[in-house]
Amino acid sequence: MASGNAIRGSRVGAGPMGEAERGESAPRLRISFWCSNGHETQPSFASDAQIPETWDCPRCGFPAGTDRDNPPDPPRTEPYKTHLAYVRERRSDADGEAILAEALAKLRGEI
């Protein structure tokens, strides 16, 4: 026996599909973007929209530009810095030696 729900399998707002029901779609432009790996992406833009200089490549994530022969460079990623690397940026070797000597003197009970 079938259930009594008449709208089973449809969603709110569902109706006949087609241009006559939805109206005319806006004029579009398809612009090609190339990344440094040679991947081509063709997003579509409204004909009166401002086209961006770069677009993220959906395949590799690198930035892509409209010039096929001269794509944008991939971003440089800085390596992970350790705590010691940050300390060395703030202090010179002489400062480090002075701090170490003071800590050793305190441990030995000289201070």
Side-chain angles (χ1 to χ4, degrees):
M1 179 169 200
S3 73
N5 192 350
I7 60 170
R8 184 173 154 191
S10 67
R11 58 185 167 78
V12 174
M17 300 295 283
E19 290 296 323
E21 301 296 326
R22 292 183 293 168
E24 299 280 330
S25 57
R28 298 275 177 192
L29 294 174
R30 290 189 72 80
I31 307 294
S32 292
F33 288 88
W34 287 273
C35 70
S36 59
N37 288 333
H39 303 140
E40 181 183 11
T41 305
Q42 290 187 329
S44 64
F45 298 95
S47 61
D48 58 348
Q50 183 178 1
I51 308 301
E53 292 181 18
T54 61
W55 191 263
D56 289 339
C57 177
R59 290 180 65 191
C60 64
F62 286 173
T66 55
D67 185 4
R68 183 179 200 163
D69 298 326
N70 191 16
D73 294 328
R76 284 190 55 210
T77 55
E78 296 294 325
Y80 174 76
K81 286 186 182 179
T82 63
H83 176 70
L84 183 59
Y86 284 110
V87 170
R88 285 184 177 163
E89 285 180 357
R90 292 192 315 264
R91 309 234 188 248
S92 67
D93 287 341
D95 291 340
E97 291 293 330
I99 292 170
L100 178 63
E102 180 182 339
L104 289 174
K106 191 179 287 187
L107 282 174
R108 292 181 186 136
E110 298 171 6
I111 294 181

